[in-house]
Amino acid sequence: MKKIMLGNSDLQVGEISLGCMRMSELSTKDAAHVIENAMEAGVDLFDHADIYGEGKSEEVFAEAIGMNDDVRERMKIQTKCGIRKGFFDFSKEHILESVEASLRRLKTDYVDSLLLHRPDTLMEPEEVAEAFATLKESGKVRYFGVSNQNPMQMELLRKYLNDDLIVNQMQLSLVHTPMIDSGFNVNMQNDPAVVRDSSVLEYCRLNDITIQAWSPFQHGMIEGPFIGNDAFPEVNAKLQELAEKKGVTDSAIAIAWILRHPANIQPVVGSMNPKRLNAIAKASDIELTRQEWYELYRAVGNDLP
């Protein structure tokens, strides 16, 4: 699998990562199979969050791999904090407590990256900066990032940080493309022209922040996958056509579409099916032409001005 650097850090990782939200549903044996298979396929960044399975996903992960120094050094582990039941919390106290709890569950001394999970409008950036500095100085977190934040939210945070943000996780799939749509429709009086994220795609490219694409197979937030969905006949037909042409699955083509963008976007794939993950990982070997990329974009129903 091709490698990318996360932001301007020294973290070199496979260009596809594994989201571990559903790992809490697996037995230790099945989880071990998922993780080992992912590593063999070149997927070596594992994305966690303190709320996944109410912490159980991190526990199952650590138990499955029999966490030890040798295993730990072969992978990169990322976790997130800030979402609590009914509210968001970027307080220094919660950030520090959340990281300590994640480290205990993951049975490791450090995580490679920590992301703030969803924006907290009550955030006091000075307090976040203090928490980050404490975690960095103690060696418990190597790098920091955010999730679902717009440029001004990141700018406010960056004003007080001593370290750069290396990641911003944003929802992106073939059928969820607002960060791309507005760039095609500048100064137009149509719905795709509405800038919903303050040009986050361009901002992240300008500031060497890696966008990690979550839910790369979903339409909407929780509606379900678009692949194989009868509600999306044209894009599924085009995915199948290109899959047959290139000898891969339609899911691999959907991921290759994200990888084709020059922003070096890293898809976060949540499949707990080793066979499917292997098929998806082949996206790293697929090079879509410019024309093929646009054909897929238009097959969803997007009009070019």
Side-chain angles (χ1 to χ4, degrees):
M1 177 176 290
K2 296 185 183 72
K3 298 285 187 177
I4 61 168
M5 304 300 295
L6 285 187
N8 59 5
S9 74
D10 65 354
L11 299 178
Q12 186 179 55
V13 295
E15 62 178 353
I16 298 170
S17 60
L18 184 67
C20 297
M21 183 173 70
R22 298 183 180 88
M23 193 160 284
S24 61
E25 303 168 8
L26 303 183
S27 68
T28 301
K29 180 180 179 181
D30 287 343
H33 185 35
V34 169
I35 298 165
E36 292 165 3
N37 177 78
M39 295 285 287
E40 290 174 3
V43 177
D44 56 1
L45 172 64
F46 297 90
D47 176 70
H48 292 272
D50 56 357
I51 64 166
Y52 291 168
E54 297 183 342
K56 186 178 178 182
S57 289
E58 291 177 329
E59 291 178 350
V60 171
F61 180 87
E63 292 171 6
I65 61 175
M67 183 67 81
N68 59 61
D69 291 344
D70 291 338
V71 172
R72 181 66 184 87
E73 291 305 310
R74 293 195 297 116
M75 60 176 57
K76 303 295 186 291
I77 297 178
Q78 173 174 281
T79 195
K80 302 183 287 294
C81 70
I83 297 179
R84 304 184 72 174
K85 291 183 179 179
F87 65 105
F88 301 137
D89 189 350
F90 286 2
S91 66
K92 177 180 178 180
E93 179 182 20
H94 178 66
I95 292 172
L96 295 179
E97 288 178 352
S98 177
V99 170
E100 290 291 348
S102 285
L103 293 178
R104 285 196 299 271
R105 290 190 293 265
L106 289 165
K107 297 181 181 179
T108 183
D109 296 328
Y110 71 98
V111 291
D112 295 282
S113 48
L114 172 71
L115 311 188
L116 297 177
H117 205 175
R118 293 280 173 190
D120 174 14
T121 194
L122 301 183
M123 174 186 76
E124 297 180 41
E126 303 95 330
E127 198 173 340
V128 174
E130 289 177 7
F132 281 8
T134 298
L135 292 168
K136 184 69 175 285
E137 290 167 6
S138 65
K140 294 175 180 178
V141 178
R142 296 182 64 193
Y143 295 99
F144 302 93
V146 295
S147 178
N148 308 293
Q149 291 202 14
N150 67 37
M152 287 301 100
Q153 290 167 329
M154 285 185 277
E155 279 293 296
L156 176 60
L157 188 54
R158 291 175 71 198
K159 177 181 178 181
Y160 297 91
L161 297 181
N162 294 323
D163 293 278
D164 290 332
L165 298 172
I166 66 167
V167 163
N168 186 12
Q169 277 196 2
M170 299 287 291
Q171 184 177 9
L172 175 67
S173 74
L174 246 178
V175 300
H176 184 89
T177 55
M179 73 173 74
I180 293 172
D181 302 338
S182 58
F184 284 128
N185 293 273
V186 174
N187 201 36
M188 303 284 286
Q189 291 184 323
N190 56 12
D191 185 67
V194 177
V195 180
R196 293 177 165 83
D197 52 31
S198 303
S199 301
V200 69
L201 177 61
E202 291 77 13
Y203 174 87
C204 287
R205 294 183 73 181
L206 283 167
N207 289 279
D208 298 320
I209 298 172
T210 297
I211 291 178
Q212 292 179 333
W214 59 268
S215 289
F217 301 115
Q218 300 290 312
H219 67 97
M221 280 193 65
I222 58 174
E223 284 82 347
F226 63 88
I227 294 179
N229 189 326
D230 292 340
F232 302 93
E234 292 187 20
V235 70
N236 274 291
K238 178 56 68 173
L239 284 168
Q240 193 59 44
E241 174 190 324
L242 290 173
E244 292 175 0
K245 177 181 177 182
K246 298 179 184 292
V248 295
T249 64
D250 47 6
S251 294
I253 296 296
I255 293 298
W257 183 85
I258 295 174
L259 295 176
R260 174 64 177 80
H261 198 284
N264 288 325
I265 299 168
Q266 184 186 45
V268 181
V269 176
S271 178
M272 295 290 102
N273 182 319
K275 183 177 180 181
R276 183 163 186 258
L277 185 60
N278 283 340
I280 291 169
K282 294 184 184 301
S284 185
D285 301 322
I286 302 301
E287 185 69 31
L288 294 179
T289 67
R290 188 179 297 261
Q291 181 177 342
E292 289 167 342
W293 190 94
Y294 276 98
E295 286 175 350
L296 283 165
Y297 180 77
R298 289 169 52 232
V300 180
N302 295 310
D303 293 324
L304 295 176

